[in-house]
CSV table of all heavy atoms in Angstrom, one decimal:
chain,number,residue,atom,x,y,z
A,44,PRO,N,10.1,2.1,5.6
A,44,PRO,CA,10.9,1.7,6.9
A,44,PRO,C,12.2,2.4,6.9
A,44,PRO,O,12.9,2.6,5.9
A,44,PRO,CB,11.2,0.2,6.6
A,44,PRO,CG,10.1,-0.3,5.7
A,44,PRO,CD,9.8,0.9,4.9
A,175,SER,N,-5.6,-4.8,3.2
A,175,SER,CA,-5.6,-5.1,4.6
A,175,SER,C,-4.2,-5.8,5.0
A,175,SER,O,-3.8,-6.7,4.5
A,175,SER,CB,-6.7,-6.0,5.1
A,175,SER,OG,-6.6,-6.5,6.3
A,176,PRO,N,-3.6,-5.2,6.0
A,176,PRO,CA,-3.8,-3.9,6.8
A,176,PRO,C,-3.8,-2.7,5.7
A,176,PRO,O,-3.1,-2.8,4.7
A,176,PRO,CB,-2.6,-3.9,7.7
A,176,PRO,CG,-2.0,-5.2,7.8
A,176,PRO,CD,-2.4,-5.9,6.5
A,177,SER,N,-4.6,-1.8,6.1
A,177,SER,CA,-4.9,-0.7,5.2
A,177,SER,C,-3.9,0.5,5.3
A,177,SER,O,-3.6,0.9,6.4
A,177,SER,CB,-6.3,-0.2,5.4
A,177,SER,OG,-6.4,1.1,5.0
A,181,GLY,N,-4.9,1.9,8.6
A,181,GLY,CA,-4.5,0.8,9.6
A,181,GLY,C,-5.5,-0.2,10.0
A,181,GLY,O,-5.3,-1.1,10.7
A,183,VAL,N,-7.6,-3.5,9.8
A,183,VAL,CA,-7.3,-4.9,9.4
A,183,VAL,C,-8.5,-5.7,9.3
A,183,VAL,O,-9.4,-5.7,10.2
A,183,VAL,CB,-6.4,-5.6,10.5
A,183,VAL,CG1,-6.1,-7.0,10.2
A,183,VAL,CG2,-5.0,-4.9,10.4
A,208,GLU,N,-1.7,-7.0,-0.1
A,208,GLU,CA,-1.2,-7.6,1.2
A,208,GLU,C,0.1,-7.1,1.6
A,208,GLU,O,0.8,-7.6,2.3
A,208,GLU,CB,-1.4,-9.1,1.2
A,208,GLU,CG,-2.7,-9.5,0.9
A,208,GLU,CD,-3.0,-11.0,1.0
A,208,GLU,OE1,-2.0,-11.8,1.2
A,208,GLU,OE2,-4.1,-11.4,0.9
A,209,ILE,N,0.5,-5.9,1.1
A,209,ILE,CA,1.9,-5.4,1.2
A,209,ILE,C,2.2,-5.2,2.7
A,209,ILE,O,3.4,-5.2,3.1
A,209,ILE,CB,2.1,-4.1,0.4
A,209,ILE,CG1,3.6,-3.7,0.3
A,209,ILE,CG2,1.3,-3.0,0.9
A,209,ILE,CD1,4.3,-4.5,-0.6
A,210,TYR,N,1.2,-4.9,3.6
A,210,TYR,CA,1.5,-4.7,5.0
A,210,TYR,C,1.2,-5.9,5.9
A,210,TYR,O,1.1,-5.9,7.0
A,210,TYR,CB,0.7,-3.5,5.5
A,210,TYR,CG,1.1,-2.2,4.9
A,210,TYR,CD1,0.3,-1.7,3.8
A,210,TYR,CD2,2.2,-1.6,5.2
A,210,TYR,CE1,0.6,-0.6,3.2
A,210,TYR,CE2,2.5,-0.3,4.6
A,210,TYR,CZ,1.8,0.2,3.6
A,210,TYR,OH,2.2,1.4,2.9
A,211,GLU,N,1.2,-7.1,5.1
A,211,GLU,CA,0.9,-8.4,5.8
A,211,GLU,C,1.5,-8.6,7.2
A,211,GLU,O,0.9,-9.1,8.0
A,211,GLU,CB,1.4,-9.5,4.8
A,211,GLU,CG,1.5,-10.9,5.4
A,211,GLU,CD,2.0,-11.9,4.5
A,211,GLU,OE1,2.5,-11.6,3.4
A,211,GLU,OE2,1.9,-13.1,4.8
A,212,PHE,N,2.8,-8.2,7.3
A,212,PHE,CA,3.5,-8.5,8.5
A,212,PHE,C,3.4,-7.5,9.6
A,212,PHE,O,3.9,-7.7,10.7
A,212,PHE,CB,5.0,-8.8,8.2
A,212,PHE,CG,5.2,-9.9,7.3
A,212,PHE,CD1,5.8,-9.8,6.1
A,212,PHE,CD2,5.0,-11.3,7.9
A,212,PHE,CE1,5.9,-11.0,5.3
A,212,PHE,CE2,5.3,-12.4,7.1
A,212,PHE,CZ,5.7,-12.2,5.7
A,213,LEU,N,2.8,-6.3,9.3
A,213,LEU,CA,2.9,-5.2,10.1
A,213,LEU,C,1.4,-5.1,10.9
A,213,LEU,O,0.5,-4.5,10.3
A,213,LEU,CB,3.1,-3.8,9.4
A,213,LEU,CG,4.5,-4.0,8.6
A,213,LEU,CD1,4.7,-2.7,8.0
A,213,LEU,CD2,5.6,-4.4,9.5
A,214,LEU,N,1.4,-5.8,12.0
A,214,LEU,CA,0.1,-6.0,12.7
A,214,LEU,C,0.3,-5.5,14.1
A,214,LEU,O,1.3,-5.9,14.8
A,214,LEU,CB,-0.3,-7.4,12.6
A,214,LEU,CG,-0.7,-7.9,11.2
A,214,LEU,CD1,-0.6,-9.4,11.1
A,214,LEU,CD2,-2.1,-7.4,10.9
A,215,ALA,N,-0.7,-4.9,14.7
A,215,ALA,CA,-0.7,-4.5,16.1
A,215,ALA,C,-1.0,-5.9,16.8
A,215,ALA,O,-1.6,-6.8,16.4
A,215,ALA,CB,-1.8,-3.6,16.4
A,218,HIS,N,-3.7,-8.9,16.4
A,218,HIS,CA,-4.3,-9.0,15.1
A,218,HIS,C,-3.6,-10.0,14.2
A,218,HIS,O,-2.4,-10.2,14.4
A,218,HIS,CB,-4.3,-7.7,14.4
A,218,HIS,CG,-5.3,-6.6,15.1
A,218,HIS,ND1,-6.7,-6.6,14.8
A,218,HIS,CD2,-5.1,-5.8,16.1
A,218,HIS,CE1,-7.2,-5.7,15.6
A,218,HIS,NE2,-6.3,-5.2,16.4
A,220,HIS,N,-3.1,-11.7,10.1
A,220,HIS,CA,-3.4,-11.4,8.7
A,220,HIS,C,-4.1,-12.7,8.1
A,220,HIS,O,-3.6,-13.8,8.3
A,220,HIS,CB,-2.1,-11.2,7.9
A,220,HIS,CG,-2.3,-11.0,6.4
A,220,HIS,ND1,-2.9,-9.9,5.8
A,220,HIS,CD2,-2.1,-11.8,5.5
A,220,HIS,CE1,-3.0,-10.0,4.6
A,220,HIS,NE2,-2.4,-11.3,4.3
A,241,ALA,N,9.0,-4.6,0.0
A,241,ALA,CA,9.3,-3.2,0.4
A,241,ALA,C,9.1,-3.1,2.0
A,241,ALA,O,10.0,-2.6,2.7
A,241,ALA,CB,8.6,-2.2,-0.3
A,242,LYS,N,7.9,-3.4,2.4
A,242,LYS,CA,7.5,-3.1,3.7
A,242,LYS,C,8.1,-4.1,4.7
A,242,LYS,O,8.6,-3.7,5.8
A,242,LYS,CB,6.0,-2.9,3.9
A,242,LYS,CG,5.5,-1.9,2.8
A,242,LYS,CD,6.0,-0.6,2.9
A,242,LYS,CE,5.1,0.6,2.4
A,242,LYS,NZ,5.2,0.8,1.0
A,243,GLY,N,7.8,-5.4,4.5
A,243,GLY,CA,8.1,-6.4,5.4
A,243,GLY,C,9.7,-6.6,5.7
A,243,GLY,O,10.2,-6.8,6.7
A,244,TRP,N,10.4,-6.5,4.6
A,244,TRP,CA,11.8,-6.7,4.6
A,244,TRP,C,12.6,-5.4,4.5
A,244,TRP,O,13.9,-5.5,4.3
A,244,TRP,CB,12.2,-7.7,3.4
A,244,TRP,CG,11.9,-9.1,3.7
A,244,TRP,CD1,12.7,-10.1,4.3
A,244,TRP,CD2,10.8,-9.8,3.3
A,244,TRP,NE1,12.0,-11.3,4.3
A,244,TRP,CE2,10.8,-11.1,3.7
A,244,TRP,CE3,9.5,-9.5,2.7
A,244,TRP,CZ2,9.8,-12.2,3.5
A,244,TRP,CZ3,8.5,-10.4,2.4
A,244,TRP,CH2,8.7,-11.8,2.9
A,294,VAL,N,11.9,-10.1,9.8
A,294,VAL,CA,10.7,-9.4,9.5
A,294,VAL,C,9.9,-9.1,10.8
A,294,VAL,O,9.4,-8.0,11.1
A,294,VAL,CB,9.8,-10.3,8.6
A,294,VAL,CG1,8.5,-9.7,8.4
A,294,VAL,CG2,10.6,-10.5,7.3
A,295,HIS,N,9.9,-10.2,11.6
A,295,HIS,CA,9.1,-10.0,12.9
A,295,HIS,C,9.9,-9.0,13.9
A,295,HIS,O,9.2,-8.2,14.6
A,295,HIS,CB,8.9,-11.3,13.5
A,295,HIS,CG,8.0,-12.2,12.8
A,295,HIS,ND1,8.1,-13.6,12.6
A,295,HIS,CD2,6.9,-11.9,12.1
A,295,HIS,CE1,7.2,-14.0,11.8
A,295,HIS,NE2,6.4,-13.1,11.5
A,297,MET,N,11.5,-6.3,13.0
A,297,MET,CA,11.1,-5.0,12.5
A,297,MET,C,9.7,-4.7,12.8
A,297,MET,O,9.3,-3.6,13.3
A,297,MET,CB,11.5,-4.8,11.0
A,297,MET,CG,13.1,-4.8,10.7
A,297,MET,SD,13.4,-4.5,9.1
A,297,MET,CE,13.3,-5.9,8.2
A,298,ALA,N,8.9,-5.7,12.6
A,298,ALA,CA,7.4,-5.5,12.8
A,298,ALA,C,7.1,-5.1,14.3
A,298,ALA,O,6.3,-4.3,14.5
A,298,ALA,CB,6.6,-6.7,12.4
A,299,ASP,N,8.0,-5.8,15.2
A,299,ASP,CA,7.7,-5.5,16.6
A,299,ASP,C,8.1,-4.0,16.8
A,299,ASP,O,7.4,-3.3,17.7
A,299,ASP,CB,8.6,-6.4,17.4
A,299,ASP,CG,8.0,-7.8,17.5
A,299,ASP,OD1,6.9,-8.0,17.1
A,299,ASP,OD2,8.8,-8.7,18.0
A,301,PHE,N,7.9,-1.6,14.8
A,301,PHE,CA,6.8,-0.7,14.3
A,301,PHE,C,5.6,-0.7,15.2
A,301,PHE,O,4.9,0.3,15.3
A,301,PHE,CB,6.4,-1.2,12.8
A,301,PHE,CG,7.5,-0.9,11.7
A,301,PHE,CD1,7.8,-1.8,10.9
A,301,PHE,CD2,8.0,0.4,11.7
A,301,PHE,CE1,8.8,-1.5,10.0
A,301,PHE,CE2,8.9,0.7,10.8
A,301,PHE,CZ,9.4,-0.2,9.9
A,302,SER,N,5.3,-1.9,15.8
A,302,SER,CA,4.2,-1.9,16.7
A,302,SER,C,4.4,-1.0,17.9
A,302,SER,O,3.5,-0.2,18.3
A,302,SER,CB,4.0,-3.4,17.2
A,302,SER,OG,3.3,-4.1,16.3
A,305,ARG,N,3.9,2.5,16.5
A,305,ARG,CA,2.5,2.8,16.2
A,305,ARG,C,1.8,3.1,17.6
A,305,ARG,O,1.0,4.1,17.5
A,305,ARG,CB,1.9,1.5,15.6
A,305,ARG,CG,0.5,1.7,15.0
A,305,ARG,CD,-0.1,0.4,14.6
A,305,ARG,NE,0.7,-0.4,13.6
A,305,ARG,CZ,1.4,-1.6,13.8
A,305,ARG,NH1,1.2,-2.1,15.1
A,305,ARG,NH2,2.0,-2.2,12.9
A,324,GLU,N,-4.8,-0.9,13.5
A,324,GLU,CA,-4.5,-2.2,13.8
A,324,GLU,C,-3.4,-2.8,13.1
A,324,GLU,O,-3.0,-4.0,13.4
A,324,GLU,CB,-5.8,-2.9,13.5
A,324,GLU,CG,-7.0,-2.4,14.2
A,324,GLU,CD,-8.4,-2.9,13.6
A,324,GLU,OE1,-8.5,-3.3,12.4
A,324,GLU,OE2,-9.4,-2.9,14.4
A,325,GLY,N,-2.9,-2.1,12.1
A,325,GLY,CA,-1.8,-2.6,11.4
A,325,GLY,C,-1.2,-1.5,10.5
A,325,GLY,O,-1.6,-0.3,10.6
A,326,ALA,N,-0.3,-2.0,9.6
A,326,ALA,CA,0.4,-1.0,8.7
A,326,ALA,C,1.4,0.0,9.6
A,326,ALA,O,1.5,-0.4,10.8
A,326,ALA,CB,-0.4,-0.3,7.7
A,327,PHE,N,1.8,1.0,9.0
A,327,PHE,CA,2.6,1.9,9.9
A,327,PHE,C,2.1,3.3,9.8
A,327,PHE,O,3.1,4.2,9.7
A,327,PHE,CB,4.1,1.7,9.8
A,327,PHE,CG,4.7,1.5,8.5
A,327,PHE,CD1,4.3,2.3,7.4
A,327,PHE,CD2,5.8,0.7,8.4
A,327,PHE,CE1,5.0,2.2,6.2
A,327,PHE,CE2,6.4,0.5,7.2
A,327,PHE,CZ,6.0,1.3,6.1
A,328,TYR,N,0.8,3.6,9.8
A,328,TYR,CA,0.3,4.9,9.6
A,328,TYR,C,-0.7,5.1,10.8
A,328,TYR,O,-1.3,4.2,11.3
A,328,TYR,CB,-0.4,5.1,8.3
A,328,TYR,CG,0.5,4.7,7.2
A,328,TYR,CD1,0.2,3.5,6.5
A,328,TYR,CD2,1.5,5.6,6.8
A,328,TYR,CE1,1.0,3.1,5.5
A,328,TYR,CE2,2.3,5.1,5.6
A,328,TYR,CZ,2.0,4.0,5.0
A,328,TYR,OH,2.9,3.6,4.0
A,372,ALA,N,6.9,5.0,10.6
A,372,ALA,CA,8.0,4.3,10.2
A,372,ALA,C,9.3,5.2,10.4
A,372,ALA,O,10.0,5.6,9.5
A,372,ALA,CB,8.0,3.9,8.8
Side-chain angles (χ1 to χ4, degrees):
S175 170
S177 153
V183 173
E208 304 189 349
I209 191 79
Y210 296 98
E211 163 180 16
F212 295 109
L213 305 184
L214 295 158
H218 292 276
H220 174 74
K242 307 300 201 280
W244 283 270
V294 173
H295 292 140
M297 289 188 277
D299 286 350
F301 287 131
S302 277
R305 192 186 301 112
E324 301 163 336
F327 42 42
Y328 308 102

